[in-house]
Amino acid sequence: MMRNLRRAVRRAYRKTVDLSHPARSPLGSSVVNCVGYSDGVRQAGSCPAEEALRRVRKENSAAPGSNSFVWIGLHEPTHDEFASIAELFGLHPLTVEDAVNPHRRAKVVPYDDTLLAVFKTVSYAEHDQLTATSQVVETGEITVITGRDFVITIRYGRHGSLGPLREALETMPDQVAKGPSSVLHAVADFVVDEYVVVADAVQDDIEAVELAVFAEHAGRGETGRGEAGRIYQLKRELLEFKRAMSPLNRPLESLATQPASIIAPEIRPYFRDVADHLARAVEQINGFDSLLDSILQAHLAQMTVAQNEDMRKITAWAAIVAVPTMVCGIYGMNFDHMPELRWTYSYPVVLGVIAVACFVIYRGFRRNGWL
């Protein structure tokens, strides 16, 4: 019941995909949003990237201590769509290549006066019942390119919307006023928080499998083979989860410990907190993996015990059936001079002997737990 309640709560609060750019498909544009921020406050309206960048650089030139910047959000841009943005912001060619080609691993790479950060996003695939083919974890990617007066976020996949994150960050102007690195921290914190949420959801599936494995009559027939398939599927999904999380350890540590001109000094301690949350999530997933190994071993042991019990029952019944088979086989021989063939009570006596012998053997097997 609690598992169903948690699933209902997750569905109710699931973040929707942020595609606020109007009529995105007909326009063929990957731009989700383009907003300028001046000293932590969002500038009114939305304008093209060229105009937004011109405004913030004019403000920064007029007030040297200002931290005005542009935040451009993209969703799965093509190389041609990203080329104009790369030219506008003067991005390194390797940055462009990394931005338009999704990666398999998280990383943080400095290029000239920009910083490229790749985060693997994870979401929980809701399902009413876990099967041997159920998808549990869905992965995506968020790339963040941070400069001195701009932030470019590129999202791949149908989850990991940054719309709610942008709205939450705008309620903290003091944090946004620290510059583009505040957005980088917010994205990293958002991604790691999702790891924790997905880990809690996966724990529900593991508990369900554990209850099924240790339930009465577990490990028998098709049900037993089905449980093995579900455990194996969970281990595969956990492996994909670990591939998304584990490579992020070193990039977050580098952001927290290694000085970088792009990262504001007052933001660096926040990355330590994110790295700590990530370490706990990784430990939790590693614990789940070890637990599934134990559950799988216990399930295989149960199947072995069940098969041994079945073999003992088959052997016991075969021994019982062997008595009438032997007696009937002896008296089925066509010899003329066999005792008791002409005796009037031979038939009931033989049947009685067979019945008594079978009963005695049956009682013996029952006493020994074979039947």
Side-chain angles (χ1 to χ4, degrees):
M1 179 177 179
M2 291 299 298
R3 181 170 180 267
N4 294 333
L5 180 59
R6 288 195 293 267
R7 182 188 293 117
V9 171
R10 286 198 303 269
R11 288 176 176 175
Y13 288 93
R14 178 186 291 176
K15 297 178 178 64
T16 57
V17 177
D18 178 32
L19 293 178
S20 55
H21 187 278
R24 175 178 181 273
S25 296
L27 292 178
S29 174
S30 60
V31 178
V32 175
N33 217 329
C34 178
V35 179
Y37 294 89
S38 178
D39 292 329
V41 180
R42 175 171 178 164
Q43 296 177 351
S46 180
C47 57
E50 297 87 347
E51 178 65 20
L53 183 61
R54 186 188 62 80
R55 289 180 182 179
V56 299
R57 288 183 173 175
K58 182 178 180 181
E59 292 179 3
N60 290 335
S61 298
S66 177
N67 276 328
S68 300
F69 64 93
V70 179
W71 182 357
I72 299 178
L74 306 174
H75 180 259
E76 298 184 356
T78 63
H79 192 279
D80 294 336
E81 289 175 330
F82 192 71
S84 59
I85 294 178
E87 182 180 359
L88 174 64
F89 291 95
L91 300 180
H92 193 279
L94 292 178
T95 304
V96 178
E97 181 180 352
D98 289 337
V100 297
N101 297 316
H103 303 80
R104 288 188 173 273
R105 293 176 64 86
K107 64 178 183 178
V108 173
V109 182
Y111 290 109
D112 297 335
D113 56 348
T114 62
L115 185 70
L116 173 75
V118 178
F119 303 99
K120 302 298 292 186
T121 59
V122 172
S123 69
Y124 181 73
E126 295 286 352
H127 46 268
D128 294 329
Q129 185 177 5
L130 179 67
T131 65
T133 58
S134 295
Q135 185 178 11
V136 179
V137 175
E138 296 177 348
T139 58
E141 183 178 305
I142 295 178
T143 300
V144 183
I145 304 174
T146 309
R148 298 187 182 279
D149 52 11
F150 66 88
V151 177
I152 303 173
T153 55
I154 306 168
R155 182 167 56 86
Y156 291 91
R158 299 296 299 177
H159 64 276
S161 170
L162 297 178
L165 171 65
R166 185 193 295 267
E167 295 175 1
L169 194 60
E170 288 174 355
T171 62
M172 299 180 290
D174 293 339
Q175 187 76 359
V176 180
K178 296 174 182 177
S181 56
S182 63
V183 177
L184 177 61
H185 162 261
V187 173
D189 188 52
F190 165 77
V191 171
V192 173
D193 285 345
E194 285 299 304
Y195 290 163
V196 177
V197 173
V198 175
D200 292 339
V202 172
Q203 184 176 3
D204 294 339
D205 288 326
I206 295 177
E207 290 175 354
V209 170
E210 187 177 16
L211 289 175
V213 166
F214 292 102
E216 189 178 0
H217 305 301
R220 296 182 179 274
E222 294 295 334
T223 302
R225 288 188 288 271
E227 295 302 333
R230 295 206 298 168
I231 297 172
Y232 181 71
Q233 179 66 12
L234 266 179
K235 286 187 67 65
R236 288 188 61 185
E237 295 295 302
L238 278 182
L239 178 60
E240 185 175 359
F241 197 176
K242 290 170 65 175
R243 286 175 178 171
M245 286 196 308
S246 298
L248 192 56
N249 272 319
R250 184 171 296 179
L252 284 180
E253 291 177 0
S254 67
L255 290 175
T257 57
Q258 298 179 7
S261 59
I262 301 300
I263 306 299
E266 57 269 23
I267 292 294
R268 192 171 295 118
Y270 291 95
F271 284 107
R272 295 192 184 98
D273 181 67
V274 178
D276 180 63
H277 292 171
L278 176 64
R280 283 185 287 175
V282 171
E283 290 177 0
Q284 187 178 12
I285 294 302
N286 289 334
F288 289 163
D289 194 31
S290 300
L291 178 59
L292 282 177
D293 285 336
S294 300
I295 294 174
L296 181 59
Q297 293 298 324
H299 178 63
L300 295 177
Q302 285 180 334
M303 294 186 65
T304 302
V305 171
Q307 290 174 355
N308 290 337
E309 291 179 354
D310 293 339
M311 289 301 298
R312 287 194 300 178
K313 289 181 180 180
I314 293 173
T315 303
W317 284 112
I320 294 173
V321 173
V323 174
T325 302
M326 180 185 65
V327 174
C328 295
I330 292 174
Y331 280 92
M333 293 184 293
N334 297 321
F335 294 113
D336 293 333
H337 303 286
M338 291 184 66
E340 295 90 27
L341 287 180
R342 305 294 179 179
W343 188 33
T344 305
Y345 301 103
S346 59
Y347 180 71
V349 169
V350 171
L351 291 181
V353 171
I354 292 175
V356 170
C358 291
F359 178 75
V360 171
I361 297 174
Y362 175 80
R363 289 282 296 177
F365 283 128
R366 286 281 293 180
R367 188 178 296 110
N368 294 330
W370 283 46
L371 289 175

